[in-house]
């Protein structure tokens, strides 16, 4: 438990302060009009959770993955809580790598992954949160989002498809949506994978140079890269407006893939431990039973 407290103190430096409630009479509810976060305060090359030894850190990630598997089994057996893990970040920020590294040991029975793409025709016929709500974890499950409902603020805002007023409205709607989830036994962990522009360039170039990774690359990624500054500004505004007491953001310095996995695995493990769940009571009628 002492380690959990130490990790908790360390984590505070990477959590934007929850936005202070605004004037609900202004039409967009509390929090949604908070000031943007200054991303310069968060060094993407930092390694706050690292031991300083890369191989030791990799071994630690593997150990944490095993612990998460055990805790996930208890969560599934207990069926009282749900955990939603959101991985949000720019192209090549490491969302796929996080899934492989942090959840490598977990059973597919209790852990589900959703990779969000542009909405299809049916999804566009509903409100933008309709498809998100349908994918929520059920009791006892962990669901991991590769991208998330925040794409429905970032992309249309950067491209000018919605007005500033509509952007603030979506912040408020998402805050209310997430509050409803947390009030109904869903724990949210929201990770913004924060990489530098230089690191993104190297990772995208690697996808071009390695033919086995061509499937991960799209020419559209280059168009989005040209909007780097616009997306950084959109993330800064989003983090400020939607980091709430019930669903705070965690900025993960992610230039180091190993550190990224170490930090996220530590937070997921600590969160599951903090629930203090246990297996259901043994059934008296099964004691001493012998199968013939």
């Amino acid at each position: 438990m002492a380690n959990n407290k130490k990790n908790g103190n360390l984590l505070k430096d990477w959590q934007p302060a929850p936005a202070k409630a605004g004037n609900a009479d202004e039409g967009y509810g509390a929090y949604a009009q908070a000031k943007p976060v200054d991303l310069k305060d968060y060094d993407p090359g930092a390694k706050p959770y690292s031991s300083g030894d890369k191989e030791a850190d990799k071994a630690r990630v593997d150990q944490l993955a095993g612990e998460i598997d055990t805790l996930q089994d208890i969560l599934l057996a207990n069926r009282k809580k749900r955990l939603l893990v959101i991985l949000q970040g720019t192209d090549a920020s490491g969302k796929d790598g996080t899934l492989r590294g942090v959840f490598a040991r977990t059973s597919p029975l209790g852990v589900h992954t959703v990779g969000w793409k542009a909405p299809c025709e049916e999804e566009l016929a509903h409100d933008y949160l309709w498809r998100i709500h349908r994918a929520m974890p059920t009791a006892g499950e962990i669901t991991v989002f590769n991208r998330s409902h925040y794409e429905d603020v970032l992309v249309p805002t950067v491209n000018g498809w919605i007005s500033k007023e509509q952007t603030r409205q979506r912040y408020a709607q998402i805050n209310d949506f997430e509050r409803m989830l947390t009030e109904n036994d869903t724990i949210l962990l929201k990770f913004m994978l924060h990489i530098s522009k230089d690191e993104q360039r190297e990772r995208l170039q690697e996808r071009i140079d390695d033919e086995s990774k061509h499937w991960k690359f799209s020419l559209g990624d280059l168009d989005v890269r040209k909007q780097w500054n616009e997306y950084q500004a959109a993330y800064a505004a989003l983090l400020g407006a939607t980091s709430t007491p019930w669903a705070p953001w965690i900025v993960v310095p992610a230039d180091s893939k190993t550190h990224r996995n170490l930090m996220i695995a530590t937070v997921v493990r600590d969160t599951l431990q903090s629930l203090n769940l246990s297996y259901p009571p043994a059934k008296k009628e099964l004691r001493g039973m012998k199968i013939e």
Side-chain angles (χ1 to χ4, degrees):
M1 191 61 69
N3 284 338
N4 285 6
K5 291 182 179 179
K6 178 181 177 181
N7 294 334
N9 292 332
L10 185 60
L11 185 63
K12 290 179 182 178
D13 292 336
W14 298 93
Q15 287 183 297
K20 294 182 179 179
N23 183 356
D25 293 335
E26 294 176 352
Y28 299 110
Y31 300 94
Q33 299 190 58
K35 294 181 180 179
V37 166
D38 190 347
L39 284 175
K40 292 180 181 178
D41 293 338
Y42 302 93
D43 179 7
K47 301 178 183 179
Y49 281 70
S50 176
S51 66
D53 183 325
K54 185 174 182 178
E55 293 307 313
D57 287 351
K58 286 184 176 180
R60 180 61 178 152
V61 171
D62 188 60
Q63 179 183 348
L64 286 165
E67 293 179 32
I68 290 170
D69 178 50
T70 298
L71 291 163
Q72 175 269 321
D73 193 60
I74 297 173
L75 179 74
L76 182 61
N78 192 275
R79 295 188 183 277
K80 290 183 178 179
K81 300 287 185 179
R82 309 164 182 83
L83 176 62
L84 175 63
V85 178
I86 292 174
L87 303 177
Q88 187 67 48
T90 61
D91 292 328
S93 59
K95 298 176 289 294
D96 292 348
T98 299
L99 283 166
R100 288 192 297 269
V102 176
F103 298 97
R105 300 283 198 89
T106 48
S107 167
L109 293 174
V111 179
H112 303 284
T113 301
V114 182
W116 294 105
K117 305 294 184 182
C120 66
E121 183 176 352
E122 180 186 14
E123 291 166 343
L124 286 172
H126 294 80
D127 67 88
Y128 69 96
L129 288 173
W130 175 78
R131 63 175 184 163
I132 305 298
H133 204 170
R134 296 178 73 203
M136 285 299 114
T138 60
E141 288 184 342
I142 298 174
T143 294
V144 188
F145 279 3
N146 183 333
R147 300 189 187 273
S148 68
H149 41 293
Y150 287 99
E151 291 292 306
D152 292 301
V153 179
L154 291 164
V155 177
T157 295
V158 168
N159 289 302
W161 299 340
I162 59 177
S163 66
K164 291 182 179 179
E165 182 178 348
Q166 289 172 313
T167 296
R168 289 194 298 268
Q169 187 178 48
R170 290 195 178 192
Y171 290 154
Q173 290 166 346
I174 288 173
N175 287 344
D176 288 342
F177 173 65
E178 292 181 346
R179 183 165 188 167
M180 180 275 293
L181 293 175
T182 60
E183 289 176 348
N184 286 275
D185 295 321
T186 298
I187 298 96
L188 271 67
L189 289 176
K190 304 191 303 191
F191 297 104
M192 187 271 199
L193 308 188
H194 185 37
I195 62 171
S196 64
K197 191 175 184 180
D198 286 342
E199 181 65 23
Q200 188 198 51
R201 176 184 55 77
E202 292 182 10
R203 294 183 186 182
L204 290 176
Q205 187 65 53
E206 182 182 359
R207 293 179 181 181
I208 293 173
D209 295 342
D210 185 345
E211 292 186 1
S212 69
K213 295 184 178 181
H214 281 187
W215 67 274
K216 299 180 71 175
F217 183 81
S218 167
L219 290 176
D221 295 342
L222 299 181
D223 294 329
V224 174
R225 179 169 166 79
K226 293 176 183 177
Q227 298 173 300
W228 176 270
N229 291 337
E230 290 84 353
Y231 270 100
Q232 291 296 293
Y235 266 109
L238 180 151
L239 291 171
T242 61
S243 194
T244 58
W246 54 89
W249 276 101
I250 300 168
V251 179
V252 179
D255 275 3
S256 165
K257 298 175 182 179
T258 300
H259 174 267
R260 173 201 70 211
N261 290 350
L262 177 61
M263 182 172 177
I264 293 175
T266 300
V267 174
V268 172
R269 189 281 310 271
D270 289 352
T271 299
L272 290 171
Q273 280 188 340
S274 71
L275 300 179
N276 293 317
L277 300 177
S278 58
Y279 285 107
K283 297 179 180 180
K284 294 180 180 179
E285 63 270 24
L286 297 183
R287 291 177 182 172
M289 179 181 291
K290 301 295 182 182
I291 305 296
E292 297 182 0

